[in-house]
Amino acid sequence: MEYSGPTSLYIDGEWVDAAAGETIETVDPATEELYATVARADEEDVDAAVQAADAAAEYGSEWRSMGPSERGQKLHAMADAIEEMKDEITLVESHDNGKTPFEAGMEVQMVIDTFRYYAGWADKVTGQYNPVPGERVNFTTREPLGVTAHIAPWNYPFQLAGRSLAPALACGNTTVLKPSSQTPLSALYYGLAADEAGIPDGVVNVVPGSGSGAGSALASHPGVEHVTFTGSTEIGKQVMADAAQNVTGVTLELGGKGPNIVLPDADLDAAAKGIHYGIFMNAGQMCWAGSRLLVHEDVADELVEKIVQRAESTPLGSGIDDDARMGPVVSESHMEDVLEYISIGENEGATVACGGGVDEAKDTGYFVRPTVLTDVTNDMTVAREEIFGPVLSVIEFSDTEEAVELANDSPYGLLAGIWTQGLSKAHRVADRLDYGMVSVNEYPVTFPQTPFGGTKQSGHGREQGEEAVREFTQAKNVNINI
Ligand code: NAP
């Protein structure tokens, strides 16, 4: 399919070329061919987008004056528009990122669900009455922040942009979205959806551009009141420093090294299925990938055999191949990085139980075979660093206490999994895990209704659920002496 979607920046309700006339070329990772050319925003375009968003957020503007339930209707209308374009966005995402249509379709559906969930929140953001002494009325309201910036990564380009756009809009903010320059296409459909839904000009702006150019300009812009950044821990620290120049608040959704703890009483078939999905979905390019399997020594061999069987029978294929269950990784350089990690693992003593290289049967594309590394210890590079590819590191333990220690011994703390048939054990272990999210007997899972985020170097703040409503509003206290 040739790309026929939007190719310009979306600023103040208009589709415009980049001020400097620069463009970005995107390559289909399955065919290695040019897929689309879109405008590349620089500092000047980012400034224009922030100014448009600022004007749209002003007191008395159409968006600011709109009643909350009407704002909710607008979010429903955006969800409707995205639903209308679902098949097209799914295919575009598949070509741009390499993921299978099944995976891309799940992404788009999650965005539709998220917009509908936050549409319901728009008229339910309430304040509180405060019981103070004397003849006073004292209350607290929650107000929008103003202009919010959204910097999204390439692994779930559409979903991770929508995850923060929806609550920001529901709370009455105006937005500037910068997608990754590796996968800029699906984000532009938010401009189409905003147009279709009749969202006032300037409320949604989309500026594809480089991280060091447009991204940094957005994070350090004095007109921005909040930055939601989803990406690597390394860049997250830079974004936090950029935002600090203006004392701008940040929500950071960063990397992970998710442990799946398998206790000896677990249903091993269910665990093998979930663990396979949790590391090989999206070719392992997931912040919350279950990249460390912590398995009790009594069941390790049996479980690893089941996972290897599944890994070896996973059909690899391009984004438009209906039978494919795993696509290529996003780029040649990323493929090289993943292969380098596998050889570092081997050099440090790991054994390749399956995979371990590229798919030789493919003429084109950045296909890394699903890889399982055994004989891993928690101090090895493949257990400590985020590989962000289809590589599972297997670490054995002999008692539950040791499993908890291994799981917590990581710079990251995003999602941890527990596999057991013992409800009490699951509760006890979940209590001890220093993670933002814990999932028992399935992995990974999240919903628009539930908070998403991590501890330690996995991030700061939470997305989704009611937590996001707090992130995108600020308290104002009013005291009246009566
Ligand atoms: P990345 O390199 O950190 O980039 C993320 C975004 O930041 C991209 O839009 C990038 O633009 C931009 N960027 C780069 N340098 C910047 C700078 N100096 N200032 C402002 N923005 C800048 O991450 P990625 O490689 O796209 O994504 C993979 C990472 O994201 C992994 O570590 C993964 O764990 C993490 N992630 C976390 C979550 C979560 O919810 N916790 C979800 C998904 C992914 P360009 O791409 O155009 O350079």
Side-chain angles (χ1 to χ4, degrees), residues 416-434:
I418 305 169
W419 297 84
T420 174
Q421 300 193 52
L423 198 54
S424 312
K425 277 185 229 162
H427 275 294
R428 272 194 218 110
V429 174
D431 247 16
R432 305 268 313 278
L433 292 174
D434 187 3

PDB file of all heavy atoms in Angstrom, residues 416-434:
ATOM      1  N   ALA A 416       6.046  -6.029  36.774  1.00  0.00           N
ATOM      2  CA  ALA A 416       6.560  -7.350  37.164  1.00  0.00           C
ATOM      3  C   ALA A 416       5.423  -8.352  37.076  1.00  0.00           C
ATOM      4  O   ALA A 416       4.265  -8.012  37.344  1.00  0.00           O
ATOM      5  CB  ALA A 416       7.106  -7.313  38.588  1.00  0.00           C
ATOM      6  N   GLY A 417       5.748  -9.593  36.686  1.00  0.00           N
ATOM      7  CA  GLY A 417       4.735 -10.641  36.598  1.00  0.00           C
ATOM      8  C   GLY A 417       4.984 -11.725  37.636  1.00  0.00           C
ATOM      9  O   GLY A 417       6.127 -11.972  38.031  1.00  0.00           O
ATOM     10  N   ILE A 418       3.893 -12.339  38.094  1.00  0.00           N
ATOM     11  CA  ILE A 418       3.995 -13.473  39.029  1.00  0.00           C
ATOM     12  C   ILE A 418       3.126 -14.593  38.464  1.00  0.00           C
ATOM     13  O   ILE A 418       1.983 -14.349  38.055  1.00  0.00           O
ATOM     14  CB  ILE A 418       3.448 -13.094  40.433  1.00  0.00           C
ATOM     15  CG1 ILE A 418       4.158 -11.847  40.975  1.00  0.00           C
ATOM     16  CG2 ILE A 418       3.589 -14.266  41.405  1.00  0.00           C
ATOM     17  CD1 ILE A 418       3.493 -11.275  42.216  1.00  0.00           C
ATOM     18  N   TRP A 419       3.664 -15.810  38.444  1.00  0.00           N
ATOM     19  CA  TRP A 419       2.896 -16.975  37.969  1.00  0.00           C
ATOM     20  C   TRP A 419       2.842 -17.986  39.088  1.00  0.00           C
ATOM     21  O   TRP A 419       3.867 -18.518  39.522  1.00  0.00           O
ATOM     22  CB  TRP A 419       3.562 -17.569  36.719  1.00  0.00           C
ATOM     23  CG  TRP A 419       3.572 -16.584  35.589  1.00  0.00           C
ATOM     24  CD1 TRP A 419       4.483 -15.594  35.379  1.00  0.00           C
ATOM     25  CD2 TRP A 419       2.602 -16.458  34.540  1.00  0.00           C
ATOM     26  NE1 TRP A 419       4.142 -14.857  34.272  1.00  0.00           N
ATOM     27  CE2 TRP A 419       2.994 -15.369  33.718  1.00  0.00           C
ATOM     28  CE3 TRP A 419       1.447 -17.152  34.198  1.00  0.00           C
ATOM     29  CZ2 TRP A 419       2.269 -14.964  32.606  1.00  0.00           C
ATOM     30  CZ3 TRP A 419       0.724 -16.761  33.078  1.00  0.00           C
ATOM     31  CH2 TRP A 419       1.132 -15.672  32.295  1.00  0.00           C
ATOM     32  N   THR A 420       1.640 -18.205  39.632  1.00  0.00           N
ATOM     33  CA  THR A 420       1.435 -19.148  40.730  1.00  0.00           C
ATOM     34  C   THR A 420      -0.046 -19.488  40.802  1.00  0.00           C
ATOM     35  O   THR A 420      -0.875 -18.693  40.367  1.00  0.00           O
ATOM     36  CB  THR A 420       1.885 -18.539  42.087  1.00  0.00           C
ATOM     37  OG1 THR A 420       1.547 -19.439  43.140  1.00  0.00           O
ATOM     38  CG2 THR A 420       1.202 -17.202  42.370  1.00  0.00           C
ATOM     39  N   GLN A 421      -0.365 -20.637  41.383  1.00  0.00           N
ATOM     40  CA  GLN A 421      -1.780 -20.947  41.608  1.00  0.00           C
ATOM     41  C   GLN A 421      -2.169 -20.642  43.047  1.00  0.00           C
ATOM     42  O   GLN A 421      -3.304 -20.880  43.445  1.00  0.00           O
ATOM     43  CB  GLN A 421      -2.058 -22.406  41.240  1.00  0.00           C
ATOM     44  CG  GLN A 421      -1.729 -22.631  39.777  1.00  0.00           C
ATOM     45  CD  GLN A 421      -2.255 -23.941  39.238  1.00  0.00           C
ATOM     46  OE1 GLN A 421      -3.427 -24.255  39.377  1.00  0.00           O
ATOM     47  NE2 GLN A 421      -1.379 -24.702  38.620  1.00  0.00           N
ATOM     48  N   GLY A 422      -1.225 -20.129  43.816  1.00  0.00           N
ATOM     49  CA  GLY A 422      -1.488 -19.818  45.222  1.00  0.00           C
ATOM     50  C   GLY A 422      -1.801 -18.347  45.396  1.00  0.00           C
ATOM     51  O   GLY A 422      -0.935 -17.486  45.225  1.00  0.00           O
ATOM     52  N   LEU A 423      -3.051 -18.058  45.731  1.00  0.00           N
ATOM     53  CA  LEU A 423      -3.493 -16.669  45.855  1.00  0.00           C
ATOM     54  C   LEU A 423      -2.713 -15.923  46.939  1.00  0.00           C
ATOM     55  O   LEU A 423      -2.295 -14.763  46.752  1.00  0.00           O
ATOM     56  CB  LEU A 423      -4.993 -16.670  46.179  1.00  0.00           C
ATOM     57  CG  LEU A 423      -5.747 -15.376  45.952  1.00  0.00           C
ATOM     58  CD1 LEU A 423      -5.551 -14.879  44.529  1.00  0.00           C
ATOM     59  CD2 LEU A 423      -7.234 -15.611  46.226  1.00  0.00           C
ATOM     60  N   SER A 424      -2.477 -16.588  48.087  1.00  0.00           N
ATOM     61  CA  SER A 424      -1.770 -15.915  49.183  1.00  0.00           C
ATOM     62  C   SER A 424      -0.343 -15.600  48.767  1.00  0.00           C
ATOM     63  O   SER A 424       0.167 -14.515  49.029  1.00  0.00           O
ATOM     64  CB  SER A 424      -1.719 -16.795  50.429  1.00  0.00           C
ATOM     65  OG  SER A 424      -2.969 -17.303  50.682  1.00  0.00           O
ATOM     66  N   LYS A 425       0.293 -16.568  48.092  1.00  0.00           N
ATOM     67  CA  LYS A 425       1.682 -16.333  47.637  1.00  0.00           C
ATOM     68  C   LYS A 425       1.722 -15.143  46.696  1.00  0.00           C
ATOM     69  O   LYS A 425       2.615 -14.301  46.774  1.00  0.00           O
ATOM     70  CB  LYS A 425       2.196 -17.567  46.890  1.00  0.00           C
ATOM     71  CG  LYS A 425       2.722 -18.650  47.786  1.00  0.00           C
ATOM     72  CD  LYS A 425       3.312 -19.765  46.939  1.00  0.00           C
ATOM     73  CE  LYS A 425       2.774 -21.091  47.410  1.00  0.00           C
ATOM     74  NZ  LYS A 425       2.911 -22.165  46.466  1.00  0.00           N
ATOM     75  N   ALA A 426       0.747 -15.070  45.785  1.00  0.00           N
ATOM     76  CA  ALA A 426       0.721 -13.975  44.819  1.00  0.00           C
ATOM     77  C   ALA A 426       0.638 -12.631  45.539  1.00  0.00           C
ATOM     78  O   ALA A 426       1.377 -11.687  45.227  1.00  0.00           O
ATOM     79  CB  ALA A 426      -0.470 -14.133  43.872  1.00  0.00           C
ATOM     80  N   HIS A 427      -0.223 -12.551  46.547  1.00  0.00           N
ATOM     81  CA  HIS A 427      -0.370 -11.292  47.299  1.00  0.00           C
ATOM     82  C   HIS A 427       0.920 -10.942  48.025  1.00  0.00           C
ATOM     83  O   HIS A 427       1.355  -9.790  48.015  1.00  0.00           O
ATOM     84  CB  HIS A 427      -1.501 -11.417  48.329  1.00  0.00           C
ATOM     85  CG  HIS A 427      -2.847 -11.135  47.745  1.00  0.00           C
ATOM     86  ND1 HIS A 427      -3.203  -9.884  47.287  1.00  0.00           N
ATOM     87  CD2 HIS A 427      -3.919 -11.922  47.549  1.00  0.00           C
ATOM     88  CE1 HIS A 427      -4.449  -9.930  46.827  1.00  0.00           C
ATOM     89  NE2 HIS A 427      -4.899 -11.161  46.959  1.00  0.00           N
ATOM     90  N   ARG A 428       1.517 -11.965  48.663  1.00  0.00           N
ATOM     91  CA  ARG A 428       2.736 -11.697  49.445  1.00  0.00           C
ATOM     92  C   ARG A 428       3.858 -11.199  48.555  1.00  0.00           C
ATOM     93  O   ARG A 428       4.551 -10.250  48.880  1.00  0.00           O
ATOM     94  CB  ARG A 428       3.179 -12.970  50.178  1.00  0.00           C
ATOM     95  CG  ARG A 428       2.513 -13.095  51.507  1.00  0.00           C
ATOM     96  CD  ARG A 428       3.188 -14.154  52.372  1.00  0.00           C
ATOM     97  NE  ARG A 428       2.119 -14.839  53.086  1.00  0.00           N
ATOM     98  CZ  ARG A 428       1.736 -16.092  52.869  1.00  0.00           C
ATOM     99  NH1 ARG A 428       2.379 -16.836  52.002  1.00  0.00           N
ATOM    100  NH2 ARG A 428       0.743 -16.602  53.543  1.00  0.00           N
ATOM    101  N   VAL A 429       4.030 -11.843  47.402  1.00  0.00           N
ATOM    102  CA  VAL A 429       5.123 -11.438  46.500  1.00  0.00           C
ATOM    103  C   VAL A 429       4.807 -10.057  45.904  1.00  0.00           C
ATOM    104  O   VAL A 429       5.679  -9.178  45.854  1.00  0.00           O
ATOM    105  CB  VAL A 429       5.349 -12.500  45.397  1.00  0.00           C
ATOM    106  CG1 VAL A 429       6.378 -12.023  44.389  1.00  0.00           C
ATOM    107  CG2 VAL A 429       5.807 -13.817  46.017  1.00  0.00           C
ATOM    108  N   ALA A 430       3.561  -9.835  45.490  1.00  0.00           N
ATOM    109  CA  ALA A 430       3.187  -8.537  44.895  1.00  0.00           C
ATOM    110  C   ALA A 430       3.501  -7.398  45.864  1.00  0.00           C
ATOM    111  O   ALA A 430       3.995  -6.339  45.466  1.00  0.00           O
ATOM    112  CB  ALA A 430       1.711  -8.534  44.526  1.00  0.00           C
ATOM    113  N   ASP A 431       3.217  -7.621  47.138  1.00  0.00           N
ATOM    114  CA  ASP A 431       3.479  -6.620  48.180  1.00  0.00           C
ATOM    115  C   ASP A 431       4.944  -6.211  48.238  1.00  0.00           C
ATOM    116  O   ASP A 431       5.267  -5.069  48.555  1.00  0.00           O
ATOM    117  CB  ASP A 431       3.150  -7.263  49.535  1.00  0.00           C
ATOM    118  CG  ASP A 431       1.968  -6.614  50.179  1.00  0.00           C
ATOM    119  OD1 ASP A 431       1.248  -5.902  49.468  1.00  0.00           O
ATOM    120  OD2 ASP A 431       1.770  -6.831  51.398  1.00  0.00           O
ATOM    121  N   ARG A 432       5.821  -7.164  47.970  1.00  0.00           N
ATOM    122  CA  ARG A 432       7.263  -6.933  48.148  1.00  0.00           C
ATOM    123  C   ARG A 432       7.942  -6.349  46.911  1.00  0.00           C
ATOM    124  O   ARG A 432       9.117  -5.989  46.972  1.00  0.00           O
ATOM    125  CB  ARG A 432       7.948  -8.271  48.482  1.00  0.00           C
ATOM    126  CG  ARG A 432       7.381  -9.015  49.690  1.00  0.00           C
ATOM    127  CD  ARG A 432       8.119  -8.652  50.958  1.00  0.00           C
ATOM    128  NE  ARG A 432       9.561  -8.697  50.789  1.00  0.00           N
ATOM    129  CZ  ARG A 432      10.308  -9.799  50.853  1.00  0.00           C
ATOM    130  NH1 ARG A 432       9.737 -10.955  51.104  1.00  0.00           N
ATOM    131  NH2 ARG A 432      11.616  -9.738  50.694  1.00  0.00           N
ATOM    132  N   LEU A 433       7.237  -6.300  45.784  1.00  0.00           N
ATOM    133  CA  LEU A 433       7.904  -5.895  44.535  1.00  0.00           C
ATOM    134  C   LEU A 433       7.937  -4.374  44.402  1.00  0.00           C
ATOM    135  O   LEU A 433       6.890  -3.711  44.524  1.00  0.00           O
ATOM    136  CB  LEU A 433       7.206  -6.528  43.325  1.00  0.00           C
ATOM    137  CG  LEU A 433       7.371  -8.049  43.237  1.00  0.00           C
ATOM    138  CD1 LEU A 433       6.526  -8.624  42.103  1.00  0.00           C
ATOM    139  CD2 LEU A 433       8.846  -8.428  43.037  1.00  0.00           C
ATOM    140  N   ASP A 434       9.122  -3.841  44.127  1.00  0.00           N
ATOM    141  CA  ASP A 434       9.291  -2.392  43.981  1.00  0.00           C
ATOM    142  C   ASP A 434       9.018  -2.019  42.517  1.00  0.00           C
ATOM    143  O   ASP A 434       9.923  -1.663  41.768  1.00  0.00           O
ATOM    144  CB  ASP A 434      10.723  -2.028  44.415  1.00  0.00           C
ATOM    145  CG  ASP A 434      10.927  -0.526  44.461  1.00  0.00           C
ATOM    146  OD1 ASP A 434       9.957   0.212  44.212  1.00  0.00           O
ATOM    147  OD2 ASP A 434      12.064  -0.097  44.740  1.00  0.00           O
TER     148      ASP A 434
END
